């Protein structure tokens, strides 16, 4: 399941000055003059044909609506407390296929007597079916993510040294996370140079949800085809003939549901001159625990195929013309319990003139699963007036596959690790977009007693060479307390 994640940050630049009073008094500007409130909302939708839940084929339709409210409040001259509350509601056709089997109930009216009066209604159910190309009625096809992050920051009197600490929690129907961390920032060279060090720990936990057929096997063992959900259900072989030979004995249940992540990052930024500024960064990330997803199916090339549904659709199983048959899984995704990641990046901003600025970004990524990727982006803000700015954006991305990836029915049951998640496959991606920014210099516009400081809107179209396409629109408004 592809989920869209939004990262929010508050960057405050301050200065201090000395003024003579009684020969010794020193005055400083507050880090944050007044309480600020950011409202950020986004809508995301995507579609594709390589759903990981269905073993690398099927619809990837997903929509997500997310909103965050960020409140930054000054506690005194030096300290700021920030709360970031977020909620994200999504619907996912592919995730609904964790349980893809739809049952169909029909009602028939039978009359009695010459007058046709005194009839009765009889109800019957046809065998269940499903397809990876359509959403099922499964409850896992929708969900809500709740998140809360709290950050406390302190600045020194000369504003050349800052430290912060944060705590975060989030939860959704099958996953929960608890995180904490902190960082320090040092400015020097008349505030033209800056170095920052940050670290975070996330302690996460899965709620195990297996595909229906594997859940039944885990519950009832070798007799699962005559118990539970499969009672009275016909399983078909590759030729559409009823069979009791389906036995996913490669499947073994998880013994742990924990996933822990540890990260450290270092960044350095430098003002080169009045027109140019750059920054470099690198991160070190280590993940431990259950790094695979429990409901993503895998199909083996050396195992026979079995289905539930209408036999006539089996020859067209991998086509969207398959309306009513679903293949039973051989196993779920299996990945190593450790992953080391190392991204390194560079930003360079150049002031062309009072109307035009150029912002560039480049990142190289490496991990010990075999993935290598490169990202490059360009943003060119154009200032229409003192209040209005527009900016076109472009982003290019390329990656190779992790060494454990193979498409639908290309893995072998003798392998130790396997996935058919196309997020881990080789592809290139292009993202095109534009933005519009309005700044109320005098904060003269108010909303419910709060001054509107800034309004920012962005729209992007994302396209991958594996067929995935997406659109995302984001609106951000910054308010200040009077």
């Amino acid at each position: 399941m592809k989920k869209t994640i939004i990262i929010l940050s508050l960057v405050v630049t301050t200065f201090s000055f000395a003024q003579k009073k009684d020969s010794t008094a020193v005055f400083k500007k507050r880090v944050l003059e007044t309480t600020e409130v950011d409202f950020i909302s986004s809508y995301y939708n995507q579609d594709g044909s390589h759903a990981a839940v269905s073993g690398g084929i099927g619809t990837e339709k997903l929509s997500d609506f997310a909103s965050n409210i960020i409140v930054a409040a000054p506690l005194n001259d030096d300290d700021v407390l920030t709360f970031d509350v977020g909620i994200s509601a999504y619907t996912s056709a592919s995730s609904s296929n964790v349980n893809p089997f739809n049952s169909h109930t029909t009602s028939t009216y039978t009359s009695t007597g010459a007058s046709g009066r005194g009839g009765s209604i009889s109800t019957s159910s046809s065998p269940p079916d499903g397809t990876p190309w359509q959403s099922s009625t499964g409850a896992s096809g929708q969900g809500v993510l709740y998140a809360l992050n709290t950050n406390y920051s302190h600045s020194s009197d000369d504003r050349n040294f800052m430290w912060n600490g944060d705590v975060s929690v989030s939860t959704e129907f099958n996953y929960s996370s608890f995180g904490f961390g902190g960082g320090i920032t040092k400015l020097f060279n008349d505030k033209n140079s800056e170095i920052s060090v940050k670290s975070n720990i996330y302690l996460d936990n899965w709620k195990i949800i297996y595909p229906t057929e594997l859940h039944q096997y885990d519950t009832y063992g070798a007799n699962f085809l005559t118990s539970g959900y499969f009672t009275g259900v016909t399983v078909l072989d590759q030729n559409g003939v009823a069979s009791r030979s389906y036995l996913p004995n490669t499947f073994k249940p998880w013994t742990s549901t924990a996933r822990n992540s540890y990260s450290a990052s270092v960044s350095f930024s430098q003002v080169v001159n009045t027109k140019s500024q750059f920054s470099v960064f690198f991160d070190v990330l280590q993940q431990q625990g259950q790094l695979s997803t429990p409901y993503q199916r895998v199909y083996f090339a050396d195992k026979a195929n079995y289905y539930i549904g209408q036999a006539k659709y089996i020859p067209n199983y991998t086509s969207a013309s398959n309306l009513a048959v679903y293949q039973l899984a051989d196993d779920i995704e299996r990945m190593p319990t450790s992953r080391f990641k190392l991204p390194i990046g560079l930003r360079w901003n150049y002031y062309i003139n009072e109307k035009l600025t150029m912002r560039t970004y480049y990142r190289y990524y490496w991990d010990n699963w075999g993935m290598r990727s490169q990202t490059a982006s360009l943003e060119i803000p154009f200032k229409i007036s003192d209040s209005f700015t527009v900016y076109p954006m472009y982003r290019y991305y390329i990656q190779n596959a992790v060494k454990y990836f193979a498409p639908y029915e290309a893995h072998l049951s003798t392998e130790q690790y396997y996935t058919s998640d196309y997020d881990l496959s080789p592809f290139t991606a292009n993202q095109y977009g534009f933005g519009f920014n309005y700044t109320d210099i005098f904060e003269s516009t108010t909303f419910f007693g709060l001054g509107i400081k800034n309004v920012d809107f962005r729209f992007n179209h994302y396209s991958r060479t594996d067929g995935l396409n997406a659109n995302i629109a984001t609106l951000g408004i910054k308010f200040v307390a009077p």
Side-chain angles (χ1 to χ4, degrees), residues 220-235:
Y220 298 103
N223 298 320
F224 75 110
L225 289 182
T226 57
S227 307
Y229 175 85
F230 281 91
T231 301
V233 173
T234 301
V235 175

Side-chain angles (χ1 to χ4, degrees), residues 187-447:
L187 284 76
F188 54 98
N189 190 22
D190 293 328
K191 301 187 188 299
N192 289 315
S193 305
E194 177 183 311
I195 186 167
S196 296
V197 179
K198 298 188 298 182
S199 65
N200 284 92
I201 296 175
Y202 294 96
L203 308 176
D204 303 348
N205 207 356
W206 285 96
K207 175 184 176 182
I208 299 180
I209 300 175
Y210 297 130
T212 297
E213 61 272 34
L214 299 181
H215 171 73
Q216 294 298 299
Y217 176 69
D218 181 46
T219 302
Y220 298 103
N223 298 320
F224 75 110
L225 289 182
T226 57
S227 307
Y229 175 85
F230 281 91
T231 301
V233 173
T234 301
V235 175
L236 307 173
D237 65 15
Q238 183 67 50
N239 298 314
V241 178
S243 173
R244 289 289 179 181
S245 298
Y246 172 60
L247 186 66
N249 53 8
T250 305
F251 172 77
K252 300 293 187 296
W254 280 8
T255 57
S256 173
T257 60
R259 171 187 288 184
N260 300 330
S261 302
Y262 312 91
S263 68
S265 62
V266 178
S267 64
F268 172 77
S269 64
Q270 176 66 47
V271 176
V272 180
N273 52 44
T274 57
K275 291 191 173 185
S276 181
Q277 179 184 18
F278 77 89
S279 64
V280 293
F281 68 87
F282 73 89
D283 300 330
V284 178
L285 302 97
Q286 178 68 41
Q287 289 184 296
Q288 299 284 351
Q290 197 54 260
L291 305 185
S292 53
T293 303
Y295 49 79
Q296 294 186 174
R297 291 176 175 87
V298 170
Y299 300 103
F300 296 130
D302 57 342
K303 293 283 187 177
N305 298 337
Y306 297 94
Y307 307 84
I308 284 180
Q310 300 180 35
K312 64 181 180 179
Y313 291 110
I314 292 178
N316 300 324
Y317 183 76
T318 60
S319 166
S321 61
N322 165 23
L323 301 180
V325 71
Y326 202 97
Q327 185 174 346
L328 302 178
D330 292 321
D331 199 3
I332 58 174
E333 176 184 80
R334 304 283 178 181
M335 303 298 276
T337 57
S338 176
R339 189 177 188 182
F340 180 76
K341 306 177 181 181
L342 184 65
I344 301 173
L346 168 69
R347 296 180 186 271
W348 179 60
N349 298 336
Y350 186 76
Y351 174 84
I352 299 173
N353 55 45
E354 63 180 9
K355 294 290 187 180
L356 200 60
T357 305
M358 183 171 61
R359 301 172 184 167
T360 66
Y361 170 85
Y362 173 79
R363 189 190 78 155
Y364 178 81
Y365 169 90
W366 174 96
D367 72 28
N368 64 344
W369 284 8
M371 180 175 287
R372 310 289 184 267
S373 72
Q374 297 185 70
T375 307
S377 67
L378 174 65
E379 184 176 302
I380 306 177
F382 178 77
K383 196 169 186 179
I384 300 174
S385 68
D386 289 340
S387 298
F388 294 95
T389 302
V390 295
Y391 44 94
M393 298 172 285
Y394 172 71
R395 176 181 179 268
Y396 176 79
Y397 177 82
I398 184 170
Q399 72 173 42
N400 67 336
V402 299
K403 50 192 172 185
Y404 313 114
F405 171 82
Y408 164 75
E409 284 216 321
H411 283 293
L412 298 176
S413 60
T414 54
E415 298 172 20
Q416 182 179 9
Y417 302 117
Y418 30 81
T419 179
S420 294
D421 185 347
Y422 271 71
D423 286 346
L424 302 175
S425 73
F427 65 83
T428 61
N430 292 278
Q431 181 172 305
Y432 308 87
F434 69 92
F436 174 84
N437 184 277
Y438 168 75
T439 300
D440 190 337
I441 301 173
F442 302 105
E443 300 169 11
S444 56
T445 307
T446 61
F447 183 79

Side-chain angles (χ1 to χ4, degrees), residues 47-51 56-60 133 466-468:
D47 197 5
S49 57
H50 293 292
I57 63 168
T59 178
E60 293 180 271
W133 299 100
D466 66 355
L468 181 72

